[in-house]
Amino acid sequence: DTGVSQDPRHKITKRGQNVTFRCDPISEHNRLYWYRQTLGQGPEFLTYFQNEAQLEKSRLLSDRFSAERPKGSFSTLEIQRTEQGDSAMYLCASSSREVVDRDEQFFGPGTRLTVL
Amino acid sequence: GQSLEQPSEVTAVEGAIVQINCTYQTSGFYGLSWYQQHDGGAPTFLSYNALDGLEETGRFSSFLSRSDSYGYLLLQELQMKDSASYFCAVRNSGAGSYQLTFGKGTKLSVIP
């Protein structure tokens, strides 16, 4: 068990460019979550997958954001036409059937996005 | 929707006890969870309360009062490494939802 991993750890991009982040959850975890966190705030929920199905999406997730989990393993989060307001830490988390009902999620180290 | 209130900052002395409070408003309630996050690090799960009362895990305890929509995290025998941000969180009330709403966090500073 190597934990949740995310790639890249840091991304600097210019406004208007597209970016894609990857998350590899803990291998036996069937649930995967994306959050966004800005300085001084708690994580804000973006979307949630159970296996390959995207079951929940936040209203924060505009049309410029899309997430996939094609084989129920790793997931990607793409942001199109980035804006300066997208600058944040993007966190991925995963959980298993055994702990999901006590809200225990395992977070990755995050991808810090800076939009210039 | 859900909203949670917790103090923004707390300072305590090494070896002491500190309590971090959390009040919540939610249309439905499953339980209250707590996460710790060190600067530059990932949030890590600490505890979960679904029923009223105190849950103890080592130096950390968490309390819930459903009737008061209130909970707290109690840290005993504080160590310097406990300096971190602490978040309370509740689950979205929709059926089958696992969306967590986090508070803004309490930054705990442990001083010698």
Side-chain angles (χ1 to χ4, degrees):
Chain A
D1 179 2
T2 57
V4 179
S5 62
Q6 293 187 243
D7 184 70
R9 295 291 307 276
H10 303 272
K11 179 70 176 178
I12 299 175
T13 190
K14 293 182 179 179
R15 188 178 55 183
Q17 297 295 303
N18 299 343
V19 294
T20 300
F21 310 141
R22 177 180 170 123
C23 170
D24 287 88
I26 294 171
S27 58
E28 65 270 23
H29 285 184
N30 64 332
R31 290 170 170 84
L32 186 147
Y33 315 80
W34 285 99
Y35 292 86
R36 179 171 65 189
Q37 186 176 28
T38 54
L39 195 64
Q41 302 292 318
E44 291 179 298
F45 173 83
L46 293 178
T47 190
Y48 155 64
F49 290 85
Q50 182 171 318
N51 300 312
E52 66 276 9
Q54 188 174 20
L55 297 185
E56 292 186 83
K57 289 174 61 173
S58 166
R59 285 169 293 179
L60 293 174
L61 212 66
S62 76
D63 291 344
R64 297 184 298 106
F65 288 69
S66 62
E68 294 183 342
R69 194 183 183 199
K71 297 183 180 179
S73 56
F74 74 91
S75 175
T76 58
L77 177 69
E78 181 183 17
I79 309 174
Q80 297 183 327
R81 305 181 304 279
T82 52
E83 302 172 355
Q84 288 184 325
D86 297 332
S87 295
M89 177 72 84
Y90 289 84
L91 294 164
C92 175
S94 68
S95 68
S96 66
R97 293 180 187 87
E98 287 73 27
V99 299
V100 68
D101 284 330
R102 66 187 193 120
D103 294 341
E104 181 174 1
Q105 298 180 11
F106 297 79
F107 281 80
T111 295
R112 181 166 296 284
L113 173 66
T114 301
V115 181
L116 302 176
Chain B
Q2 280 66 240
S3 68
L4 300 101
E5 294 290 332
Q6 50 181 132
S8 58
E9 294 182 5
V10 173
T11 300
V13 177
E14 189 176 14
I17 299 172
V18 71
Q19 179 174 312
I20 298 174
N21 299 321
C22 174
T23 57
Y24 58 87
Q25 288 186 318
T26 178
S27 53
F29 182 77
Y30 293 95
L32 184 70
S33 54
W34 289 92
Y35 282 78
Q36 177 193 59
Q37 186 177 31
H38 288 96
D39 282 347
T44 56
F45 175 84
L46 290 177
S47 68
Y48 175 75
N49 295 69
L51 303 175
D52 287 356
L54 193 67
E55 294 279 343
E56 298 182 64
T57 309
R59 295 187 298 113
F60 293 5
S61 303
S62 56
F63 172 83
L64 176 67
S65 169
R66 294 173 67 116
S67 60
D68 295 324
S69 298
Y70 163 75
Y72 65 72
L73 180 69
L74 191 73
L75 296 82
Q76 302 182 71
E77 300 172 16
L78 280 173
Q79 303 176 7
M80 299 299 291
K81 67 178 182 179
D82 297 330
S83 293
S85 292
Y86 293 83
F87 299 90
C88 54
V90 294
R91 197 194 310 175
N92 191 32
S93 60
S97 173
Y98 293 95
Q99 174 183 160
L100 288 183
T101 298
F102 286 82
K104 292 186 176 181
T106 298
K107 186 175 179 64
L108 171 64
S109 298
V110 180
I111 58 176

